[in-house]
Amino acid sequence: MVSSGHAQASAPAARGLDNVLDIEARRFGPSLASRSGPLPSGDPGPVDLIVDLTATVATQGTPVLTLEFYGHSTFPAGVAEMLASGRSPELAVRLNGVTVAKGRPMLSDRLWLSRISNDLLAGAISLIAQSVARFSAGELAPIAESPAPIPRSRGYFRNYLPFFCKGLVDRAMQKIRLGRRPFYWQVAYRLIDGPGVAETGQLDGTPFTVLADDGQRFYADPFVLERDGRHYLFVEEFPYATGRGAISVAELGNDGIFGVPRVVLEEAHHLSYPQVFAHAGEIFMIPESSAAREVVLYRAAQFPDRWVRDTVLLTDRNFNDATLLESDGRFWLLGTERFGYGSASDTMAVYSAPSLRGPWAAHALNPIAIDHSATRPGGAFIRHGDALVLPVQNGSRAYGGGLGLMRLDRLDDFDVRFAPPRPIGPGPAWARTGIHTLNRAGNVEVVDSAG
């Protein structure tokens, strides 16, 4: 049984935050940080674990989990620290004063404090859920301490106003850069022999060629499949006119150039991340369809142009960029899952099944990690000798801001563990600030990035 205590008085630094949230609520409505009604009271009886969000509960012998925001025991003080320092989000959970879990939520909006609060608090909820699951499984162990926060003497609004003004300037510059397009991505490819980006960790070597678009759409999330001696490039095609992604394919010509992509799979909801693969003599695809709150396995009835819904693998799940792995006779899906509020790109969840079509079950330790730079896949698994490596998106500054390579150290019913991601460095082969997806089949390597 789990109990949570609550303080009767508001935190000292809460007034300034409440004032800003009240103003923003007129536009966005209440956030997770908005004041709630009174919590129920009463004696819960014997408990196995106390989750104390007040840093005021005194116990005798019962294990206590506490939560810290940027080293502070209260959320308002943590937000003030974020505004003053400009640091990326940092959360920590302590068990009886010892750090046992860390989280780095992704901020999807760096302007509005209510949305920032949603991302931070959704990450905090997931981190607590992760800690409780690991405590119940006996897997909650000490980890390295976080550095102590730097004391700040400036008042709340003196921290908030520069932060908000900088956000406005950044938002205006982004709109100027994009023009009439709300956002823009580009896919690129190259033909290489020998090591590629996954091996060198750099965007060097043979230059990439941009997959041209007509300005009325963009292409993103490239996956490439080699079949019968030919290469097929699957992408998300996003026409600005519809505002909804579909899956398109282009074929590599004898001249080494991919043709214009054509739509091969379209639904009433957004589709992206067209992970295409061969299994048991057939070709399948698992695109992202989180907008429909489902994960669907499609089968090629006539490759590459006609696809049919084969099996619904997961329902009522906002699961993003689900990436498939078959290992030791078992199938695994790894991706990020959004639980109500918060970012879709910072909370890893894992599902497994005895066969491709299921039944699929959630891992006992979900959520596996809360980290803006080490959770959302950016391509299929890559095998390096005996090791498996997963490309993961780096959203520390912005969505699509970079990619890292993360070695899988353990994957079974009892735990999931990765080594820290190794960032992919820039290089002359792709003159962009970073990449968002990396895949390869044979001698064809594909990437994408924000334009």
Side-chain angles (χ1 to χ4, degrees):
M1 182 176 179
V2 177
S3 173
S4 61
H6 64 279
Q8 299 300 322
S10 62
R15 181 170 297 179
L17 175 62
D18 286 344
N19 291 338
V20 175
L21 293 177
D22 287 343
I23 295 171
E24 293 187 9
R26 300 170 187 174
R27 176 173 181 177
F28 301 115
S31 75
L32 286 178
S34 300
R35 289 187 178 276
S36 67
L39 296 176
S41 59
D43 183 6
V47 296
D48 300 316
L49 177 68
I50 294 175
V51 179
D52 176 19
L53 304 180
T54 68
T56 61
V57 174
T59 64
Q60 296 180 348
T62 304
V64 179
L65 282 182
T66 54
L67 177 68
E68 292 183 353
F69 298 85
Y70 295 88
H72 296 274
S73 59
T74 65
F75 177 70
V79 171
E81 173 70 24
M82 179 198 71
L83 297 176
S85 67
R87 298 191 337 223
S88 296
E90 298 175 14
L91 308 178
V93 168
R94 295 178 182 270
L95 178 63
N96 296 336
V98 177
T99 303
V100 292
K102 291 182 180 179
R104 299 192 299 171
M106 179 174 171
L107 300 184
S108 53
D109 188 318
R110 294 177 180 270
L111 177 61
W112 302 106
L113 206 54
S114 55
R115 294 184 173 181
I116 291 172
S117 297
N118 283 342
D119 289 340
L120 288 173
L121 288 172
I125 292 169
S126 294
L127 191 63
I128 291 172
Q130 177 202 67
S131 300
V132 171
R134 288 188 174 275
F135 176 85
S136 300
E139 296 286 343
L140 201 56
I143 60 175
E145 292 282 344
S146 300
I150 302 172
R152 305 285 167 176
S153 58
R154 299 169 66 187
Y156 187 88
F157 278 102
R158 292 186 64 188
N159 291 327
Y160 170 71
L161 291 176
F163 176 88
F164 183 75
C165 292
K166 182 181 182 302
L168 283 177
V169 171
D170 291 344
R171 186 69 56 88
M173 294 299 295
Q174 183 182 40
K175 288 185 176 181
I176 292 173
R177 181 173 60 86
L178 292 176
R180 294 185 177 181
R181 293 178 296 204
F183 34 81
Y184 182 52
W185 296 82
Q186 285 185 309
V187 165
Y189 61 93
R190 66 178 179 179
L191 278 62
I192 57 172
D193 293 313
V197 175
E199 290 75 29
T200 67
Q202 300 287 327
L203 291 164
D204 54 10
T206 303
F208 284 90
T209 298
V210 174
L211 182 68
D213 62 72
D214 59 4
Q216 304 301 309
R217 69 204 72 241
F218 69 73
Y219 302 116
D221 292 354
F223 281 78
V224 61
L225 180 73
E226 184 178 8
R227 182 169 173 81
D228 298 330
R230 300 188 65 82
H231 286 87
Y232 299 87
L233 173 62
F234 290 82
V235 296
E236 170 200 342
E237 178 175 332
F238 189 96
Y240 295 113
T242 65
R244 184 179 69 244
I247 305 304
S248 295
V249 67
E251 297 178 33
L252 186 68
N254 295 329
D255 56 0
I257 298 175
F258 277 103
V260 177
R262 61 184 184 273
V263 174
V264 294
L265 179 59
E266 191 169 16
E267 298 279 15
H269 52 267
H270 177 80
L271 295 174
S272 60
Y273 202 75
Q275 181 181 194
V276 60
F277 58 94
H279 174 71
E282 295 190 281
I283 305 297
F284 296 93
M285 184 196 305
I286 303 178
E288 182 198 304
S289 52
S290 60
R293 297 186 61 82
E294 63 181 11
V295 176
V296 179
L297 176 70
Y298 291 83
R299 177 173 46 83
Q302 182 179 336
F303 184 84
D305 294 296
R306 192 161 67 86
W307 297 82
V308 296
R309 287 169 66 100
D310 185 283
T311 308
V312 177
L313 306 181
L314 296 174
T315 58
D316 197 27
R317 292 285 186 274
N318 190 332
F319 200 49
N320 301 274
D321 294 351
T323 300
L324 182 72
L325 175 65
E326 183 180 2
S327 177
D328 296 328
R330 193 164 182 84
F331 292 81
W332 303 85
L333 284 173
L334 296 88
T336 53
E337 188 161 357
R338 186 178 186 183
F339 301 96
Y341 289 87
S343 171
S345 301
D346 62 8
T347 304
M348 177 179 283
V350 173
Y351 293 81
S352 66
S355 70
L356 178 60
R357 293 180 171 89
W360 289 85
H363 198 282
L365 298 184
N366 278 350
I368 302 301
I370 299 89
D371 196 308
H372 51 53
S373 303
T375 53
R376 184 163 181 164
F381 274 90
I382 303 164
R383 185 170 292 279
H384 285 174
D386 294 333
L388 284 168
V389 174
L390 178 66
V392 287
Q393 299 179 32
N394 184 338
S396 57
R397 299 308 305 169
Y399 178 71
L403 203 66
L405 300 169
M406 195 164 67
R407 186 186 71 242
L408 177 63
D409 288 340
R410 180 177 178 181
L411 178 63
D412 54 40
D413 289 334
F414 303 101
D415 206 354
V416 181
R417 295 192 182 273
F418 285 89
R422 176 170 59 100
I424 294 174
W430 182 235
R432 301 293 189 275
T433 56
I435 59 175
H436 167 257
T437 310
L438 171 67
N439 281 296
R440 182 174 177 176
N443 66 340
V444 177
E445 187 174 52
V446 295
V447 297
D448 75 338
S449 72

